Amino acid sequence: MADKKKIKRNLSAIKRARQALKRKSRNQHEIKTLRTELKKARTAVSENKLDAQAQVKKAVKVIDSARSKGLIHKNRAARTVSRLVKLSNKTAPKVQA
């Protein structure tokens, strides 16, 4: 009963509540996707998988998408990408020229 809020009475408030629920659901899905992709990329890099670079690239794309939608702060996005790429470069095999 504590979760239920007081029912709104005017139409605009009802519509705003409905929109807020849709946005909340959409944002939760995007954040969950972001966390999943980060975890996949980190595990791929730490296990030296062949597709680690592809996973990192995909994770960076998802981070940038979340940043542009306002789900995460721009500094957090930059920091996360930086750390992920740094980890990827550290564990990547060195190519001798």
Side-chain angles (χ1 to χ4, degrees), residues 34-49 52 55-56 59 63 76 79-81 83-85 87-88 91:
L34 171 69
R35 288 182 182 152
T36 303
E37 290 303 323
L38 278 173
K39 187 174 181 180
K40 283 181 185 178
R42 286 186 184 126
T43 55
V45 168
S46 66
E47 295 173 359
N48 289 325
K49 292 191 176 181
Q55 287 288 351
V56 169
I63 292 168
R76 179 182 173 202
R79 183 177 64 241
T80 307
V81 169
R83 289 176 180 170
L84 189 60
V85 171
L87 179 69
S88 173
T91 59

Side-chain angles (χ1 to χ4, degrees), residues 14 27 33 35 44 47 54 59-60 70:
I14 293 170
N27 289 344
T33 303
R35 288 182 182 152
E47 295 173 359
V60 169

Side-chain angles (χ1 to χ4, degrees), residues 51-79:
D51 66 336
Q53 290 298 100
Q55 287 288 351
V56 169
K57 189 174 181 181
K58 188 174 181 184
V60 169
K61 184 177 178 183
V62 172
I63 292 168
D64 289 340
S65 174
R67 162 59 192 109
S68 67
K69 292 175 184 176
L71 297 176
I72 59 175
H73 192 269
K74 65 177 183 175
N75 291 356
R76 179 182 173 202
R79 183 177 64 241

